Amino acid sequence: MSTPRRADAGRIVVVGASLAGLRAAEALRDEGFGGELTLVGDEPHEPYDRPPLSKAVLSGRLTTDRITLPRVRNIDARWLLGTAATRLDIPGRQVVLADGRRVDFDRLLIATGTRARPWPDAAGGGLAGVHTLRGRDDADRLRAALATGPRRVLVIGGGFTGGEVASGCRELGLEVTVVQRGAAPLASALGGVIGRVATGWHRAAGVDLRLHTTVRALEGDAHGRLRRARLSDGTAVDAEVAVVATGAPANTEWLAGSGLAADHRGVVCDGGCRALGADGAAVEDVFVAGDIARWPHPRFPGQLLRLDHWDNAVAQARTAAYNMTHASPNHRVHRALPAFWSNQFGVNLKSVGLPHLADQVAVTQGALDQRRFVAAYGLRGRLVAAVAVDSPRVLDGYAALIEAGAPFPPVLNAPDGPPQLRPVDAEFARPARDEPGGVRGHDTHAPAAATPAPTAHP
Amino acid sequence: MRLVVDLNRCQSYGQCVYAAPAVFRFHGEESLEYDYAPDAGAHREVARAAAACPVQAITLSGATEPSPLSSERDR
Ligand SMILES: Cc1cc2nc3c(=O)[nH]c(=O)nc-3n(C[C@H](O)[C@H](O)[C@H](O)COP(=O)(O)OP(=O)(O)OC[C@H]3O[C@@H](n4cnc5c(N)ncnc54)[C@H](O)[C@@H]3O)c2cc1C
Ligand code: SF4
């Protein structure tokens, strides 16, 4: 037991100075925290927004110096940017930085997010022309490579980032091949039924889409530049640029030895954003928010969730900040309904709930072969998610039904609904297990972990 | 002047596009795109756009502190 102290004083350190870190810092001040506030971030940039990187930035409509996040209020913080945290000493209440500095804290927020999984083979991954896309610098490098007019771009992985990159490259007039392990793009996040619709978007845009296929090897020329990819079906693709979009491991290496329940899937925390130790007990004064967090969502029991979603980073940051400034009996539970959007191939896609949990899907508005439709997802007779394509105004109603635990298929009486709802198998390939270093069909902003709780969780 | 739009909340009503067409636009039929750092001259238009958004999806910067990068250099 630590000695009771005033929640509005002391030293708070936030590690990870991006969306979750910045919004948490602002919320801490809003909650009345008047002590010392330090933000540590390894990127040399002030906090910026990532979603446009694979959309407007890639297509050249925005440059990376124009995506800085607004700072909503004064936070009177010490910013330590361009320096990574390399170690966490919980009993000593210190964060150790790469430059040797030590930062003392009374309370800590971990918000170090995830990174793009690199190409697993060092020789292939080290070739000039092989890219990943997570940050500003990645986007600038990729933009520069695309500006040289490569004859073909290879996109490895047909998840959200892969689809957005392929779409952006087609807008630039570049030839694109997408290699997707599963039966369809987006299938691991949204299932095969909607995946087939996404297949249509790719093909209509002129993408050379290779399904049920993986990349075996990336080969370079004598100068170490990418030239060719060998695929699992025995064919080869000539490409000068490749974008690896195969998922996002969590930035937890700096927590090794800290005693927290953390691995490449994230840091386990409780519903109140408190980090858990390897023994499964909440660690006093250490909190987690954003893409790095894995927690039990009260609406979807029996598993730990990790969401690589903008909306979740903002909401979880607020919950963490509230709980960092209030005594534990008054803690809030982070229970925001998962939600995200994607823009690709000129289509706006929005999702609420957790589609990947579903066993069935039914079109509730519009039709799959039209440009606009809504698909509802059910699990054992309950509505768990809805995905809207070019129908951004309808999702609030579905969100309310999911929150209320409404039955599936839902009764909506939507004017543009089909005369009869026809639930079909949602076609998720199961089990969708993490394969370290492997190429997966899903990526950065698909729900990344539907896996059962690790032993560290009670 | 800085801004961000919560695109989960945005329902593509387009009021911001009417109010500040130099800053907000649609890409495709329903995908809103915008400039996060419009020129100072657009300030009033952007404030009007934020006020006009029926779902209050537009957040404007309220901080008057210097950028974290300048404060880092000053130390
Ligand atoms: C290309 C792309 C497109 C996206 N599009 C969408 C979209 O359309 N819709 C949507 O809902 N979501 C989207 N997302 C997801 C969204 O951007 C994330 O959910 C959000 O950025 C999470 O914020 P975060 O602060 O938790 O993590 P991050 O944004 O990853 O920030 C973590 C920060 O911590 C830093 N860091 C890591 N390790 C250390 C360390 N040891 N010491 C110090 N600092 C460290 C990182 O460099 C980074 O700056 C997209 C993401 C990407 C990459
Ligand atoms: S006014 Fe609001 S809801 Fe409408 S497009 Fe702009 S941001 Fe979106």
Side-chain angles (χ1 to χ4, degrees), chain B:
Chain B
M1 144 111 298
R2 294 263 164 74
L3 69 115
V4 67
V5 180
D6 181 340
L7 292 175
N8 291 292
R9 204 183 271 187
C10 168
Q11 305 196 335
S12 303
Y13 284 117
Q15 267 85 336
C16 55
V17 181
Y18 289 115
V23 177
F24 300 91
R25 63 207 156 257
F26 282 107
H27 184 69
E29 278 175 47
E30 301 283 3
S31 302
L32 184 72
E33 278 187 3
Y34 59 96
D35 193 345
Y36 290 69
D39 302 329
H43 195 140
R44 289 208 10 230
E45 281 190 1
V46 170
R48 221 178 301 135
C53 174
V55 290
Q56 301 193 336
I58 303 172
T59 301
L60 303 182
S61 50
T64 51
E65 293 173 330
S67 131
L69 295 175
S70 57
S71 63
E72 173 95 358
R73 271 198 296 274
D74 294 344
R75 260 197 319 275

Side-chain angles (χ1 to χ4, degrees), chain A residues 117 120 181 214 246 264 431-441 451:
Chain A
R117 177 174 287 130
R181 163 173 290 182
T214 56
T246 58
H264 66 283
R433 284 274 168 176
D434 217 346
E435 296 156 315
V439 174
R440 303 225 298 178
T451 43

Side-chain angles (χ1 to χ4, degrees), chain A residues 23-47:
Chain A
R23 292 294 175 251
E26 291 166 341
L28 284 166
R29 291 302 193 205
D30 281 341
E31 297 295 344
F33 173 64
E36 267 177 50
L37 180 58
T38 305
L39 276 88
V40 178
D42 60 356
E43 293 185 88
H45 313 290
E46 64 179 296

Side-chain angles (χ1 to χ4, degrees), chain A residues 1-5 93 274 282 284-285 328-329:
Chain A
M1 277 294 285
S2 66
T3 44
R5 57 172 197 291
R93 292 281 192 271
R274 294 192 302 173
E284 194 92 14
D285 300 325
S328 50

